[in-house]
């Protein structure tokens, strides 16, 4: 009995050991070759590219600051003041302009690690007491954010040597903000003139019409003696919210794109509006050749093309009767498109702020602006 039991035990043991060896061998055989064949990252990337996939690297750098995990690779741009308290969703840069090259924030606790600090000029106190006080990091650049013309720019002594970059409508600013015409990709699309119900229009704060004496109002008062102008009050709800803005302009054959002050490059949305809407802008601002830096010469009518307002009015009335001549003002549309600017009040500064984000995310140049006002006034 004992010997049979012994033989049986030995057999079972041998069987178990053999099975173990077989399992081990199979495991080794299965895992080893696959280890050897593990594709290189480059190969993976190539495969992913073929399959149109995005690959996240296996080894991710441990973020040093958990609060900003997904932003560590992007420079931080700190919006020091909300301009005129007009707050918008900072994600708009990504959704509206496809700008995603910086981590944009209004959280001042990011100050010490901000690569760019965006400072809205109008909000700076005369004694500079609301500017950052702690020393700035070597990599940090302060951006002077001012979309106003020199006429409307308050002089603050003491900000002369503070800034590294300028953000302005000026062509020679470090960050040049403007709604530009874009080259058209598809040139055989035909332009259809919107339905016109009015001859000449202007959206303006109507409280200023009879009181202000700047160029645009004196010219307007001269013009209405010779031609009818439909004036829409810009401070009414329908315009301050941006509703009906493009719609109203498109219902007019001509639109008064009169700037509030006359300075080089100071050509604002009041010019872009009619270009977008399919209306001919009548411009008052810098000289014609300056407009031609930004738009084709045959896309607008300049008040200085005429000796006086009476002659301009006469010309507009003849164009009103000559459709072929009128339509020539839209020939540029075969090659360019104008982009709708944002008209919602709270998004007034979104375009500029997003441009700053784009700039800091893509350019690292070292710079100091020695004298802001000298630059602005030249
Ligand atoms: C920014 O300007 C300040 C003040 O002029 C200067 O001290 C600093 O070195 C500049 N920094 C950069 C990164 O350009």
């Amino acid at each position: 009995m004992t010997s049979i039991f012994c033989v049986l035990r030995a057999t079972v043991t041998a069987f178990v050991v053999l099975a173990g060896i077989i399992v081990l061998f199979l495991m080794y055989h299965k895992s080893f070759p696959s280890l050897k064949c593990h594709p290189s990252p480059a190969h993976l990337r190539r495969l992913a590219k073929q399959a149109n996939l995005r690959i996240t690297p296996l080894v991710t750098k441990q973020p040093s600051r958990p609060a900003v995990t997904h932003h560590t690779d992007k420079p931080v741009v700190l919006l020091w003041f909300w301009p005129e308290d007009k707050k918008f969703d900072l994600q708009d840069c990504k959704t509206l302009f496809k700008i995603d090259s910086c981590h944009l924030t209004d959280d001042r606790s990011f100050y010490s690690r901000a690569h760019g600090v965006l400072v809205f000029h109008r909000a700076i106190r005369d004694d500079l007491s609301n500017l950052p006080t702690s020393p700035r990091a070597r990599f940090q650049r302060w951006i002077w954010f001012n979309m106003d013309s020199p006429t409307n720019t308050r002089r603050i002594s003491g900000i002369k040597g503070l800034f590294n970059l300028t953000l302005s409508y000026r062509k020679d600013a470090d960050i040049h903000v403007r709604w530009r015409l874009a080259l058209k990709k598809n040139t055989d699309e035909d332009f259809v003139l919107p339905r016109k119900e009015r001859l000449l229009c202007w959206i303006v704060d109507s409280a200023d019409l009879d009181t202000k004496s700047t160029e645009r109002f004196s010219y307007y008062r001269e013009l209405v003696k010779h031609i009818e102008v439909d004036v829409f009050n810009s401070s009414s709800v329908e315009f301050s919210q941006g509703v009906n803005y493009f719609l109203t302009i498109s219902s007019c054959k001509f639109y008064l794109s009169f700037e509030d002050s006359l300075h080089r490059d100071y050509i604002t949305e009041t010019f872009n509006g009619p270009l977008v809407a399919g209306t001919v802008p009548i411009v008052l601002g810098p000289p014609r050749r300056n407009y031609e830096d930004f738009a084709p010469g045959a896309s607008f009518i300049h008040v200085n093309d005429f000796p006086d307002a009476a002659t301009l009015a006469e010309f507009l009335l003849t164009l009103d009767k000559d459709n072929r001549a009128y339509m020539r003002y839209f020939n540029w549309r075969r090659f360019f498109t104008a982009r709708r600017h944002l008209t919602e009040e709270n998004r007034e500064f979104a375009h500029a702020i997003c441009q700053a984000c784009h700039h800091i995310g893509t350019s690292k140049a070292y710079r100091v602006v020695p004298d802001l006002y000298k630059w602005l006034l030249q």
Side-chain angles (χ1 to χ4, degrees):
M1 277 307 274
T2 349
S3 69
I4 289 173
F5 181 73
C6 277
V7 168
L8 204 65
R9 201 174 61 174
T11 312
V12 168
T13 311
F15 195 76
V16 166
V17 167
L18 196 67
I21 287 170
I22 288 170
V23 165
L24 275 174
F25 177 76
L26 280 177
M27 279 169 72
Y28 171 80
H29 196 75
K30 268 197 103 66
S31 67
F32 188 67
S34 80
L35 255 182
K36 230 176 137 182
C37 287
H38 197 78
S40 68
H43 182 64
L44 262 183
R45 247 177 270 130
R46 210 163 42 236
L47 281 177
K49 216 168 155 190
Q50 280 162 11
N52 244 331
L53 292 172
R54 295 193 72 198
I55 286 203
T56 19
L58 290 172
V59 188
T60 37
K61 240 167 63 186
Q62 277 305 304
S64 46
R65 296 174 297 262
V68 284
T69 36
H70 49 295
H71 305 301
T72 38
D73 49 336
K74 290 181 206 163
V76 172
V77 173
L78 170 60
L79 183 62
W80 191 254
F81 306 114
W82 275 106
E84 297 176 349
D85 213 32
K86 289 173 178 162
K87 293 187 184 160
F88 61 93
D89 183 352
L90 290 173
Q91 291 300 312
D92 281 356
C93 292
K94 199 161 25 180
T95 49
L96 300 176
F97 306 112
K98 299 191 179 76
I99 290 175
D100 193 21
S101 51
C102 86
H103 169 46
L104 191 56
T105 178
D106 61 351
D107 178 352
R108 290 187 178 183
S109 69
F110 277 85
Y111 174 75
S112 60
R113 55 191 124 112
H115 289 76
V117 179
L118 196 49
V119 184
F120 187 64
H121 177 78
R122 272 193 242 158
I124 305 174
R125 286 206 198 107
D126 283 328
D127 60 2
L128 313 183
S129 60
N130 58 354
L131 289 181
T133 45
S134 30
R136 64 179 103 167
R138 284 236 312 252
F139 54 80
Q140 187 171 90
R141 291 176 290 172
W142 287 22
I143 307 163
W144 187 59
F145 176 9
N146 180 31
M147 296 297 290
D148 293 326
S149 76
T151 301
N152 300 319
T153 300
R154 194 172 108 255
R155 305 293 188 270
I156 307 172
S157 50
I159 62 163
K160 274 187 178 173
L162 279 184
F163 289 93
N164 304 94
L165 301 169
T166 50
L167 178 151
S168 145
Y169 63 86
R170 275 271 292 270
K171 217 164 79 177
D172 57 352
D174 299 290
I175 306 167
H176 172 206
V177 178
R178 178 178 302 278
W179 295 87
R180 270 168 265 223
L181 296 185
L183 268 178
K184 211 167 179 174
K185 287 186 199 99
N186 182 7
T187 51
D188 42 48
E189 239 173 68
D190 268 340
F191 167 62
V192 181
L193 188 74
R195 220 164 70 87
K196 301 294 179 185
E197 295 160 29
R198 304 171 178 93
L199 182 61
L200 176 58
C201 309
W202 195 15
I203 301 175
V204 70
D205 191 342
S206 43
D208 297 339
L209 272 189
D210 303 311
T211 54
K212 294 233 172 138
S213 61
T214 49
E215 287 89 343
R216 58 178 182 155
F217 292 108
S218 356
Y219 198 95
Y220 163 79
R221 281 195 285 272
E222 203 47 48
L223 193 63
V224 283
K225 291 179 189 162
H226 311 281
I227 190 171
E228 195 186 327
V229 183
D230 283 299
V231 174
F232 297 86
N233 188 3
S234 61
S235 52
S236 71
V237 187
E238 48 174 335
F239 291 111
S240 66
Q241 295 306 313
V243 198
N244 292 340
Y245 174 84
F246 291 107
L247 207 66
T248 304
I249 296 180
S250 72
S251 72
C252 317
K253 280 193 152 179
F254 304 98
Y255 182 79
L256 295 185
S257 295
F258 285 9
E259 299 297 346
D260 64 20
S261 49
L262 316 186
H263 298 278
R264 170 162 61 94
D265 297 347
Y266 191 61
I267 299 167
T268 66
E269 287 83 352
T270 195
F271 179 56
N272 192 57
L275 292 181
V276 169
T279 295
V280 179
I282 313 296
V283 305
L284 181 149
R288 166 173 271 280
R289 62 172 189 284
N290 195 190
Y291 277 88
E292 290 176 358
D293 290 335
F294 306 107
S299 63
F300 62 91
I301 294 168
H302 199 295
V303 295
N304 294 350
D305 296 343
F306 303 88
D308 51 39
T311 330
L312 168 63
E314 202 181 302
F315 179 70
L316 297 182
L317 290 168
T318 51
L319 267 187
D320 183 33
K321 294 191 198 80
D322 184 349
N323 197 51
R324 276 187 54 187
Y326 176 71
M327 288 308 290
R328 279 203 283 272
Y329 284 93
F330 301 102
N331 283 348
W332 62 272
R333 288 179 162 259
R334 294 216 303 271
F335 311 104
F336 300 99
T337 48
R339 185 170 183 191
R340 269 174 183 253
H341 56 266
L342 302 175
T343 50
E344 305 93 325
E345 214 182 357
N346 70 312
R347 280 178 170 163
E348 184 180 339
F349 298 98
H351 190 223
I353 291 169
C354 297
Q355 297 294 309
C357 172
H358 175 74
H359 184 91
I360 293 293
T362 50
S363 146
K364 303 265 176 289
Y366 173 92
R367 195 174 118 81
V368 174
V369 186
D371 190 337
L372 280 176
Y373 296 120
K374 204 172 144 204
W375 170 74
L376 190 68
L377 293 169
Q378 68 184 254

